[in-house]
Amino acid sequence: MSNSPMTPRRITRQIFIGGVPVGGNAPITVQSMTKTDTRDLEATAKQIYDYAAAGCEIVRVSVPTPDAAKVFPEICARSPIPVVADIHFDYKLALAVADGGAACLRINPGNIGGQDRVKAVVDKAGSKGIPIRIGVNGGSLESELLDKFNGHATPEAMAESAMRHVELLERENFHNIKISLKASDVIRTVQAYRILAKQVDYPFHLGITEAGTVWGATIRSSVGLGILLAEGIGDTIRVSLTGAGEEECRVGHELLRSLCLRQGGFRLISCPGCGRLQVDLHNLATEIEKELQTINADGYTFAVMGCAVNGPGEAREADLGVAGGNGEGLLFRRGQLLRKVKEADIAAEFLQEAQNLVNS
Amino acid sequence: MSNSPMTPRRITRQIFIGGVPVGGNAPITVQSMTKTDTRDLEATAKQIYDYAAAGCEIVRVSVPTPDAAKVFPEICARSPIPVVADIHFDYKLALAVADGGAACLRINPGNIGGQDRVKAVVDKAGSKGIPIRIGVNGGSLESELLDKFNGHATPEAMAESAMRHVELLERENFHNIKISLKASDVIRTVQAYRILAKQVDYPFHLGITEAGTVWGATIRSSVGLGILLAEGIGDTIRVSLTGAGEEECRVGHELLRSLCLRQGGFRLISCPGCGRLQVDLHNLATEIEKELQTINADGYTFAVMGCAVNGPGEAREADLGVAGGNGEGLLFRRGQLLRKVKEADIAAEFLQEAQNLVNS
């Protein structure tokens, strides 16, 4: 195969969220955030397990109150993945969760009421060896910056906000930082990250925030994060959906896989169908995709194609492929024709061959 | 707002598919392809109407046989949008559909058996004033090219295949051309279009082919087409899904909207929810999104936010927004606080204000 069209990855310093490296040459990780009431230990711990099973590698938990901070250590103790504490305004909560097992603090130092408090948080994070994530959000920009930019949270205003927070930490000689710059639209988000990428070498957490309900947010996050990742920008991602966190993780992994940035899972190629279609492709592809999930087919490519035009070519390039046509299908394994099978038998024989392939 | 992060659009010559301009400074259009048996006039005509209602602006219909070509003129006569005839190998079918009302021929001149036949097709297309789309597909590359590139349909091989077809048309002094270069993965597709963009000024039809079932194909198409469109590449798009063509069109429009390349529809911003959540956001956002589709809210931005951190900021920037919190919500209209409403009343009052806004 030929060169990748991807821009070489931006050079960033590597930090660690618990045992998970972020930045440098570490794999790009997938994150999500719990949606339970943090004080509900059982619900939150269960949700984290569900997320982890769906591929979540770092989880963020909001800590809005002292009650939540009290439960937080137990959440960390039970979590199978590192837990980032999401804190707004109250630096004492940051101190508490840092002692309570947080693997990272998400807190904006400019919003906690002065450099003394910044120093207290930095000292604590330093002594615990945990990073601070600066999380700039287009919806909650400082009012001075909004004034400076005519009332609008522009990409330049967002990047400048991040730099203000960065400087407060650097003033305390703290560099264990990652940064996010989220807006609710693709254009502002992409622009803001591009601007900041030229100014710092801290790793970036990517996301389109408040991206909307599942369908639209999946599209917008795929477009926005795809553009940035193809430019080499981004060290960890979170797909924000007004929906289940598990789905955020699945979309995140698929997005990374589409750019060959992560492996894992299998790939199913199937054609959209057209007037040339001679087999019931939609049901066939859906059934095969579902059954393939029950065997360990990580890393394999499968093709389920409906006709003789592009079918044989794609079916031949895949590890296992079928090209349907006229009530039957041609089964290929790694470019070799295996045999012709009747339409009614395609799914069963395909899955049997998939099992043989994986066992071989 | 600030500069767009988009690369200026690639300069392409403009062609017309029926009355629809493609290329130059024309809006980027959304296409799909019928999945019915073309010979079934009623089913095909109905499907085209369904596609058009979902935003389809150009429709492609496969014409694999003389029987299909016989029905084709009636399909064109009944279609509310221009119809592209998809032809493989048989140049006589191309001649027939050009006489039968095709607004464009999709045919690869290198595959029809010699320059005499190319000349016959070009003469016909020229006399009818209809363009030819060259559609290179990684799954059906010429065997000489596969041999040249060690058996693989690389991006370079795909671009070279397109140039061979282009030269056959240019030899007949025909330039009313658009080109697609589809592979089943994002990386090859992006690379192939980038290579060809430097070599010709013909407009491009973008797509990731055989992209798989709806969920994965939506992500891969959004990533791949998003990357290209952000670079200014692409004049018309088709999102290929092994699913309904209407869904292909809806995804296509949302993808273009996410990059501000098309208007239309409303935008709903909603947060993913977290441990700070104090209202039932998921159901609220879903209900509001559904009801907004019943009023003519094209071009408006709505925000449905769950808490006090980013909520008021986003709610204020929207045309109409609500920031939930503690069993109630703050309603904003274009930055002005309207009033506080009880949680149970948020949806109804929000929709009433949306109606007022649209009527105003």
Side-chain angles (χ1 to χ4, degrees):
Chain A
M1 297 301 271
S2 77
N3 298 340
S4 166
M6 313 278 287
T7 304
R9 188 159 162 200
R10 173 177 163 255
I11 294 167
T12 56
R13 67 173 74 203
Q14 190 168 79
I15 65 168
F16 279 83
I17 314 290
V20 179
V22 172
N25 57 6
I28 297 168
T29 41
V30 171
Q31 309 203 13
S32 186
M33 187 171 185
T34 53
K35 303 181 182 197
T36 52
D37 186 323
T38 304
R39 294 166 300 183
D40 186 340
L41 171 63
E42 290 307 319
T44 304
K46 178 183 181 315
Q47 192 165 71
I48 292 174
Y49 266 90
D50 291 343
Y51 285 12
C56 189
E57 297 168 301
I58 297 168
V59 68
R60 184 154 50 112
V61 172
S62 177
V63 184
T65 60
D67 281 353
K70 217 172 284 171
V71 177
F72 189 81
E74 191 59 27
I75 293 172
C76 294
R78 288 175 57 175
S79 174
I81 51 177
V83 181
V84 180
D86 194 85
I87 309 281
H88 288 267
F89 313 121
D90 188 344
Y91 83 109
K92 285 188 184 160
L93 292 176
L95 302 180
V97 295
D99 279 327
C104 176
L105 302 174
R106 189 236 175 169
I107 190 165
N108 287 346
N111 302 346
I112 61 177
Q115 195 65 20
D116 286 359
R117 294 176 179 184
V118 175
K119 186 173 185 320
V121 171
V122 161
D123 287 348
K124 178 63 77 181
S127 74
K128 295 285 175 185
I130 61 178
I132 292 176
R133 170 177 151 210
I134 293 167
V136 171
N137 194 304
S140 56
L141 225 56
E142 303 93 304
S143 54
E144 316 94 79
L145 273 175
L146 283 178
D147 290 346
K148 178 170 169 187
F149 289 89
N150 301 315
H152 291 295
T154 63
E156 292 78 4
M158 290 169 63
E160 188 167 329
S161 172
M163 285 307 295
R164 289 184 178 202
H165 295 303
V166 164
E167 280 156 18
L168 295 176
L169 297 181
E170 289 182 340
R171 198 184 292 174
E172 305 299 336
N173 204 24
F174 187 89
H175 301 274
N176 194 7
I177 298 172
K178 75 176 169 152
I179 306 175
S180 64
L181 289 171
K182 300 186 184 181
S184 54
D185 64 273
V186 169
I187 301 254
R188 269 193 302 162
T189 304
V190 167
Q191 185 76 325
Y193 279 106
R194 283 182 180 163
I195 293 169
L196 198 67
K198 294 184 191 140
Q199 301 182 36
V200 297
D201 71 348
Y202 299 116
F204 286 167
H205 163 122
L206 301 188
I208 311 291
T209 192
E210 288 107 49
T213 53
V214 174
W215 180 82
T218 296
I219 296 168
R220 284 193 287 278
S221 290
S222 299
V223 170
L225 274 51
I227 291 170
L228 287 165
L229 290 165
E231 293 176 12
I233 294 176
D235 301 286
T236 180
I237 69 170
R238 189 231 176 152
V239 173
S240 294
L241 306 175
T242 306
E246 292 89 328
E247 182 65 5
E248 296 185 355
C249 299
R250 283 188 289 261
V251 172
H253 278 280
E254 186 65 22
L255 205 167
L256 293 176
R257 262 201 300 271
S258 78
L259 291 168
C260 300
L261 291 168
R262 289 297 291 271
Q263 308 299 322
F266 60 84
R267 232 179 112 227
L268 180 74
I269 293 164
S270 66
C271 69
C274 72
R276 291 189 297 269
L277 204 60
Q278 294 171 307
V279 296
D280 178 3
L281 188 77
H282 185 183
N283 286 334
L284 188 63
T286 305
E287 179 186 350
I288 286 176
E289 184 172 53
K290 190 171 155 232
E291 292 298 322
L292 285 172
Q293 284 161 357
T294 66
I295 68 178
N296 182 15
D298 273 22
Y300 289 91
T301 298
F302 300 98
V304 178
M305 302 291 295
C307 86
V309 172
N310 301 310
E314 290 288 351
R316 223 180 264 129
E317 288 261 336
D319 292 304
L320 185 69
V322 63
N326 227 352
E328 52 195 23
L330 299 175
L331 263 180
F332 293 88
R333 175 169 162 163
R334 299 205 170 120
Q336 300 299 314
L337 176 65
L338 290 177
R339 63 187 173 277
K340 196 181 275 192
V341 294
K342 286 189 201 142
E343 180 174 353
D345 301 330
I346 291 176
E349 300 222 15
F350 191 96
L351 291 163
Q352 184 55 54
E353 288 296 338
Q355 190 71 65
N356 295 348
L357 182 71
V358 168
N359 293 344
S360 67
Chain B
M1 297 301 274
S2 75
N3 297 341
S4 165
M6 312 277 288
T7 305
R9 188 159 163 201
R10 173 176 163 257
I11 295 168
T12 56
R13 67 174 73 205
Q14 190 168 79
I15 65 169
F16 278 82
I17 313 288
V20 179
V22 171
N25 58 5
I28 296 168
T29 41
V30 172
Q31 309 203 13
S32 186
M33 187 170 186
T34 53
K35 303 182 183 197
T36 51
D37 186 324
T38 304
R39 294 167 299 182
D40 186 340
L41 170 64
E42 289 308 319
T44 305
K46 179 183 181 314
Q47 192 166 70
I48 293 174
Y49 266 89
D50 291 344
Y51 285 12
C56 188
E57 298 168 299
I58 296 168
V59 68
R60 184 156 47 114
V61 173
S62 176
V63 184
T65 59
D67 281 354
K70 219 172 284 171
V71 177
F72 190 80
E74 191 60 25
I75 294 172
C76 294
R78 288 175 58 175
S79 175
I81 51 179
V83 181
V84 180
D86 194 85
I87 310 281
H88 288 268
F89 315 120
D90 187 345
Y91 83 109
K92 285 188 183 159
L93 292 176
L95 301 181
V97 295
D99 279 326
C104 176
L105 303 174
R106 188 237 176 170
I107 189 164
N108 288 346
N111 301 346
I112 62 177
Q115 194 65 19
D116 285 359
R117 294 177 179 184
V118 175
K119 185 171 185 323
V121 171
V122 161
D123 285 349
K124 178 65 76 180
S127 74
K128 295 285 175 184
I130 61 178
I132 292 176
R133 170 178 152 211
I134 293 167
V136 171
N137 193 303
S140 57
L141 225 56
E142 302 94 304
S143 54
E144 315 94 80
L145 273 174
L146 284 176
D147 290 344
K148 178 172 170 186
F149 289 89
N150 300 317
H152 291 295
T154 63
E156 291 80 3
M158 292 169 63
E160 189 168 328
S161 171
M163 285 307 295
R164 289 182 178 203
H165 295 303
V166 164
E167 281 156 20
L168 295 177
L169 297 180
E170 289 182 341
R171 196 183 297 174
E172 305 298 336
N173 203 24
F174 188 87
H175 301 275
N176 194 8
I177 297 171
K178 76 176 170 151
I179 306 175
S180 65
L181 288 171
K182 301 186 183 179
S184 55
D185 64 274
V186 170
I187 302 252
R188 269 194 301 161
T189 305
V190 167
Q191 184 76 325
Y193 279 107
R194 282 182 180 163
I195 293 169
L196 198 67
K198 295 184 190 139
Q199 301 183 36
V200 296
D201 72 347
Y202 299 115
F204 286 167
H205 163 120
L206 301 187
I208 311 291
T209 192
E210 289 108 46
T213 54
V214 173
W215 179 83
T218 296
I219 296 168
R220 285 194 286 278
S221 290
S222 300
V223 170
L225 273 51
I227 290 170
L228 286 167
L229 291 165
E231 293 176 13
I233 293 176
D235 301 285
T236 181
I237 68 171
R238 190 234 176 147
V239 173
S240 294
L241 306 175
T242 306
E246 293 89 328
E247 182 66 6
E248 295 185 356
C249 299
R250 284 189 288 264
V251 172
H253 278 279
E254 186 65 23
L255 205 167
L256 293 176
R257 264 201 300 272
S258 77
L259 290 168
C260 301
L261 291 169
R262 289 297 292 270
Q263 309 297 322
F266 59 84
R267 229 178 114 229
L268 180 74
I269 293 165
S270 67
C271 68
C274 71
R276 292 189 297 268
L277 204 60
Q278 294 173 309
V279 296
D280 178 3
L281 187 77
H282 185 182
N283 285 334
L284 188 62
T286 305
E287 179 185 351
I288 286 175
E289 184 173 51
K290 190 171 154 230
E291 292 298 322
L292 285 172
Q293 282 160 358
T294 66
I295 68 178
N296 181 13
D298 272 21
Y300 290 90
T301 298
F302 301 97
V304 178
M305 302 289 297
C307 85
V309 172
N310 301 309
E314 289 287 351
R316 226 181 261 128
E317 288 260 337
D319 292 303
L320 185 69
V322 62
N326 228 353
E328 53 195 23
L330 300 176
L331 263 181
F332 293 88
R333 176 170 161 161
R334 298 201 170 125
Q336 301 298 314
L337 178 65
L338 289 176
R339 61 187 175 280
K340 195 181 275 193
V341 295
K342 286 190 201 142
E343 181 175 352
D345 302 330
I346 290 176
E349 300 222 15
F350 191 96
L351 291 164
Q352 183 56 54
E353 288 296 338
Q355 190 71 66
N356 295 349
L357 181 71
V358 168
N359 294 343
S360 69

